Amino acid sequence: MSACWALQGMSGPQKSVLISLADNANDEGFCWPSVAKISKRTCLSERAVQNSIKWLCTAGILSLQERMGRSTVYTITPASYAPPQEMHPAGDAPQPPHVVHPTPAPRAPRTVIEPSLEPIKSPSASETSADDETIPHEKIRELYNQVLGGKLARCLGLTEKHRRKIRACHNLKLEGKFVVREGGLSFWEGLFNDVLDCPFLLGTNNRAWAADFEFLTTAANIQKFMEGKYDAR
């Protein structure tokens, strides 16, 4: 009955009576000491012992069986211990807090937005930004080498910088059109062939300078070339 020692939620006299009974109980929790014996062991009055026994029965940890002419048999069940809740007189019960409900503010007028009757236009492919998956970077490089490889420095491989420049070209918009994107590879082939007719870009200039793949795939330079700004040089 060592499990009784850890139980809480009872008064000192109640715990003393419980421990005294547990000390007398066998392994099954049965014992039958007299009230006088319990009183002597706990130094409590017999009335205090009886009140404690009554409370322990109410808490479920103790049950008793009275026998005529013999001492009462007590059964201790620590696993059934459930201390009763203390009852307070109605006058001592705490009053619920007084809740003051604020006066609700007047509702703001609702604004009703009428749905537009105009159909929603989805952006076309030419109106959206080009991405790397739709741009034939490698084919553009091959076209450059095929058309201009004998006149200008060849491009042996694409760098991330090259890809960014080509992507910017595909997003170049002139007179309301994405001329590079809409022209596709035909635009690039035409551009590179037109460069063959531009001596300035091929190196015939007083600076001994010639265009290269990076120069011809720069959006600003393509715009200048299409505007004829390299023709008279």
mmCIF file of all heavy atoms in Angstrom, residues 12-17 20 35-49 52:
data_model
loop_
_atom_site.group_PDB
_atom_site.id
_atom_site.type_symbol
_atom_site.label_atom_id
_atom_site.label_comp_id
_atom_site.label_asym_id
_atom_site.label_seq_id
_atom_site.Cartn_x
_atom_site.Cartn_y
_atom_site.Cartn_z
ATOM 1 N N GLY A 12 -4.366 16.839 6.709
ATOM 2 C CA GLY A 12 -3.418 16.058 7.504
ATOM 3 C C GLY A 12 -4.074 14.898 8.240
ATOM 4 O O GLY A 12 -3.577 13.768 8.176
ATOM 5 N N PRO A 13 -5.187 15.124 8.950
ATOM 6 C CA PRO A 13 -5.854 14.004 9.638
ATOM 7 C C PRO A 13 -6.312 12.918 8.670
ATOM 8 O O PRO A 13 -6.198 11.722 8.967
ATOM 9 C CB PRO A 13 -7.039 14.679 10.333
ATOM 10 C CG PRO A 13 -6.594 16.081 10.555
ATOM 11 C CD PRO A 13 -5.775 16.418 9.353
ATOM 12 N N GLN A 14 -6.839 13.326 7.525
ATOM 13 C CA GLN A 14 -7.296 12.334 6.545
ATOM 14 C C GLN A 14 -6.129 11.497 6.039
ATOM 15 O O GLN A 14 -6.243 10.274 5.893
ATOM 16 C CB GLN A 14 -7.996 13.044 5.388
ATOM 17 C CG GLN A 14 -9.301 13.718 5.784
ATOM 18 C CD GLN A 14 -9.755 14.779 4.813
ATOM 19 O OE1 GLN A 14 -9.059 15.089 3.845
ATOM 20 N NE2 GLN A 14 -10.919 15.377 5.080
ATOM 21 N N LYS A 15 -4.996 12.142 5.800
ATOM 22 C CA LYS A 15 -3.817 11.410 5.326
ATOM 23 C C LYS A 15 -3.293 10.480 6.419
ATOM 24 O O LYS A 15 -2.866 9.350 6.136
ATOM 25 C CB LYS A 15 -2.742 12.417 4.906
ATOM 26 C CG LYS A 15 -1.502 11.794 4.255
ATOM 27 C CD LYS A 15 -1.856 11.188 2.901
ATOM 28 C CE LYS A 15 -0.610 10.770 2.120
ATOM 29 N NZ LYS A 15 0.089 11.887 1.502
ATOM 30 N N SER A 16 -3.339 10.931 7.661
ATOM 31 C CA SER A 16 -2.853 10.102 8.769
ATOM 32 C C SER A 16 -3.691 8.836 8.919
ATOM 33 O O SER A 16 -3.157 7.732 9.116
ATOM 34 C CB SER A 16 -2.891 10.898 10.081
ATOM 35 O OG SER A 16 -2.015 12.005 10.010
ATOM 36 N N VAL A 17 -5.005 8.980 8.819
ATOM 37 C CA VAL A 17 -5.885 7.814 8.923
ATOM 38 C C VAL A 17 -5.638 6.865 7.755
ATOM 39 O O VAL A 17 -5.579 5.634 7.923
ATOM 40 C CB VAL A 17 -7.358 8.259 8.968
ATOM 41 C CG1 VAL A 17 -8.289 7.051 8.868
ATOM 42 C CG2 VAL A 17 -7.635 9.031 10.256
ATOM 43 N N SER A 20 -2.400 4.984 8.253
ATOM 44 C CA SER A 20 -2.565 3.987 9.316
ATOM 45 C C SER A 20 -3.282 2.750 8.795
ATOM 46 O O SER A 20 -2.887 1.614 9.086
ATOM 47 C CB SER A 20 -3.348 4.600 10.485
ATOM 48 O OG SER A 20 -3.565 3.643 11.493
ATOM 49 N N VAL A 35 -11.683 1.622 15.411
ATOM 50 C CA VAL A 35 -11.529 3.074 15.438
ATOM 51 C C VAL A 35 -10.630 3.487 16.586
ATOM 52 O O VAL A 35 -9.811 4.409 16.459
ATOM 53 C CB VAL A 35 -12.911 3.748 15.542
ATOM 54 C CG1 VAL A 35 -12.762 5.247 15.777
ATOM 55 C CG2 VAL A 35 -13.727 3.492 14.295
ATOM 56 N N ALA A 36 -10.753 2.797 17.695
ATOM 57 C CA ALA A 36 -9.929 3.120 18.862
ATOM 58 C C ALA A 36 -8.447 2.913 18.550
ATOM 59 O O ALA A 36 -7.593 3.716 18.951
ATOM 60 C CB ALA A 36 -10.357 2.265 20.052
ATOM 61 N N LYS A 37 -8.145 1.830 17.832
ATOM 62 C CA LYS A 37 -6.749 1.556 17.494
ATOM 63 C C LYS A 37 -6.205 2.618 16.537
ATOM 64 O O LYS A 37 -5.079 3.094 16.688
ATOM 65 C CB LYS A 37 -6.636 0.168 16.870
ATOM 66 C CG LYS A 37 -5.198 -0.235 16.556
ATOM 67 C CD LYS A 37 -5.137 -1.649 16.002
ATOM 68 C CE LYS A 37 -3.693 -2.031 15.687
ATOM 69 N NZ LYS A 37 -3.598 -3.419 15.144
ATOM 70 N N ILE A 38 -7.034 3.004 15.550
ATOM 71 C CA ILE A 38 -6.602 4.041 14.598
ATOM 72 C C ILE A 38 -6.387 5.357 15.337
ATOM 73 O O ILE A 38 -5.424 6.086 15.086
ATOM 74 C CB ILE A 38 -7.646 4.214 13.480
ATOM 75 C CG1 ILE A 38 -7.804 2.914 12.683
ATOM 76 C CG2 ILE A 38 -7.250 5.353 12.542
ATOM 77 C CD1 ILE A 38 -8.939 2.945 11.682
ATOM 78 N N SER A 39 -7.278 5.654 16.275
ATOM 79 C CA SER A 39 -7.166 6.886 17.056
ATOM 80 C C SER A 39 -5.867 6.909 17.845
ATOM 81 O O SER A 39 -5.187 7.945 17.921
ATOM 82 C CB SER A 39 -8.368 7.000 18.003
ATOM 83 O OG SER A 39 -8.220 8.121 18.850
ATOM 84 N N LYS A 40 -5.512 5.778 18.403
ATOM 85 C CA LYS A 40 -4.293 5.703 19.202
ATOM 86 C C LYS A 40 -3.052 5.867 18.331
ATOM 87 O O LYS A 40 -2.095 6.548 18.706
ATOM 88 C CB LYS A 40 -4.262 4.362 19.943
ATOM 89 C CG LYS A 40 -3.076 4.210 20.877
ATOM 90 C CD LYS A 40 -3.150 2.885 21.637
ATOM 91 C CE LYS A 40 -1.956 2.731 22.576
ATOM 92 N NZ LYS A 40 -2.013 1.446 23.320
ATOM 93 N N ARG A 41 -3.076 5.289 17.142
ATOM 94 C CA ARG A 41 -1.901 5.343 16.265
ATOM 95 C C ARG A 41 -1.716 6.717 15.631
ATOM 96 O O ARG A 41 -0.596 7.119 15.329
ATOM 97 C CB ARG A 41 -2.018 4.286 15.159
ATOM 98 C CG ARG A 41 -2.011 2.856 15.688
ATOM 99 C CD ARG A 41 -1.913 1.864 14.558
ATOM 100 N NE ARG A 41 -0.652 2.009 13.818
ATOM 101 C CZ ARG A 41 -0.338 1.286 12.750
ATOM 102 N NH1 ARG A 41 -1.204 0.395 12.279
ATOM 103 N NH2 ARG A 41 0.814 1.466 12.144
ATOM 104 N N THR A 42 -2.814 7.426 15.413
ATOM 105 C CA THR A 42 -2.730 8.722 14.724
ATOM 106 C C THR A 42 -2.780 9.915 15.669
ATOM 107 O O THR A 42 -2.623 11.059 15.215
ATOM 108 C CB THR A 42 -3.886 8.856 13.715
ATOM 109 O OG1 THR A 42 -5.133 8.754 14.433
ATOM 110 C CG2 THR A 42 -3.811 7.772 12.651
ATOM 111 N N CYS A 43 -3.007 9.642 16.947
ATOM 112 C CA CYS A 43 -3.131 10.717 17.942
ATOM 113 C C CYS A 43 -4.305 11.643 17.620
ATOM 114 O O CYS A 43 -4.252 12.860 17.874
ATOM 115 C CB CYS A 43 -1.844 11.528 18.047
ATOM 116 S SG CYS A 43 -0.422 10.568 18.598
ATOM 117 N N LEU A 44 -5.352 11.082 17.006
ATOM 118 C CA LEU A 44 -6.558 11.832 16.695
ATOM 119 C C LEU A 44 -7.694 11.330 17.573
ATOM 120 O O LEU A 44 -7.691 10.178 18.034
ATOM 121 C CB LEU A 44 -6.939 11.662 15.218
ATOM 122 C CG LEU A 44 -5.940 12.172 14.171
ATOM 123 C CD1 LEU A 44 -6.375 11.726 12.772
ATOM 124 C CD2 LEU A 44 -5.823 13.688 14.230
ATOM 125 N N SER A 45 -8.680 12.186 17.755
ATOM 126 C CA SER A 45 -9.856 11.743 18.497
ATOM 127 C C SER A 45 -10.628 10.746 17.643
ATOM 128 O O SER A 45 -10.492 10.714 16.418
ATOM 129 C CB SER A 45 -10.742 12.937 18.848
ATOM 130 O OG SER A 45 -11.287 13.513 17.670
ATOM 131 N N GLU A 46 -11.451 9.916 18.318
ATOM 132 C CA GLU A 46 -12.229 8.932 17.567
ATOM 133 C C GLU A 46 -13.198 9.621 16.605
ATOM 134 O O GLU A 46 -13.458 9.121 15.511
ATOM 135 C CB GLU A 46 -12.985 8.016 18.542
ATOM 136 C CG GLU A 46 -12.056 7.109 19.334
ATOM 137 C CD GLU A 46 -12.819 6.061 20.136
ATOM 138 O OE1 GLU A 46 -14.067 5.970 19.963
ATOM 139 O OE2 GLU A 46 -12.181 5.330 20.905
ATOM 140 N N ARG A 47 -13.708 10.791 17.005
ATOM 141 C CA ARG A 47 -14.615 11.521 16.126
ATOM 142 C C ARG A 47 -13.872 11.991 14.868
ATOM 143 O O ARG A 47 -14.390 11.909 13.752
ATOM 144 C CB ARG A 47 -15.210 12.718 16.871
ATOM 145 C CG ARG A 47 -16.236 13.489 16.045
ATOM 146 C CD ARG A 47 -16.844 14.612 16.878
ATOM 147 N NE ARG A 47 -17.852 15.336 16.124
ATOM 148 C CZ ARG A 47 -19.118 14.955 16.007
ATOM 149 N NH1 ARG A 47 -19.523 13.841 16.604
ATOM 150 N NH2 ARG A 47 -19.982 15.671 15.312
ATOM 151 N N ALA A 48 -12.623 12.478 15.052
ATOM 152 C CA ALA A 48 -11.829 12.921 13.901
ATOM 153 C C ALA A 48 -11.508 11.745 12.986
ATOM 154 O O ALA A 48 -11.499 11.875 11.753
ATOM 155 C CB ALA A 48 -10.548 13.597 14.371
ATOM 156 N N VAL A 49 -11.258 10.563 13.595
ATOM 157 C CA VAL A 49 -10.990 9.369 12.794
ATOM 158 C C VAL A 49 -12.217 8.995 11.973
ATOM 159 O O VAL A 49 -12.127 8.688 10.775
ATOM 160 C CB VAL A 49 -10.564 8.201 13.700
ATOM 161 C CG1 VAL A 49 -10.523 6.891 12.909
ATOM 162 C CG2 VAL A 49 -9.211 8.476 14.331
ATOM 163 N N SER A 52 -12.688 11.359 9.102
ATOM 164 C CA SER A 52 -11.692 11.110 8.052
ATOM 165 C C SER A 52 -12.048 9.872 7.248
ATOM 166 O O SER A 52 -11.897 9.851 6.005
ATOM 167 C CB SER A 52 -10.298 10.948 8.674
ATOM 168 O OG SER A 52 -9.884 12.153 9.289
#
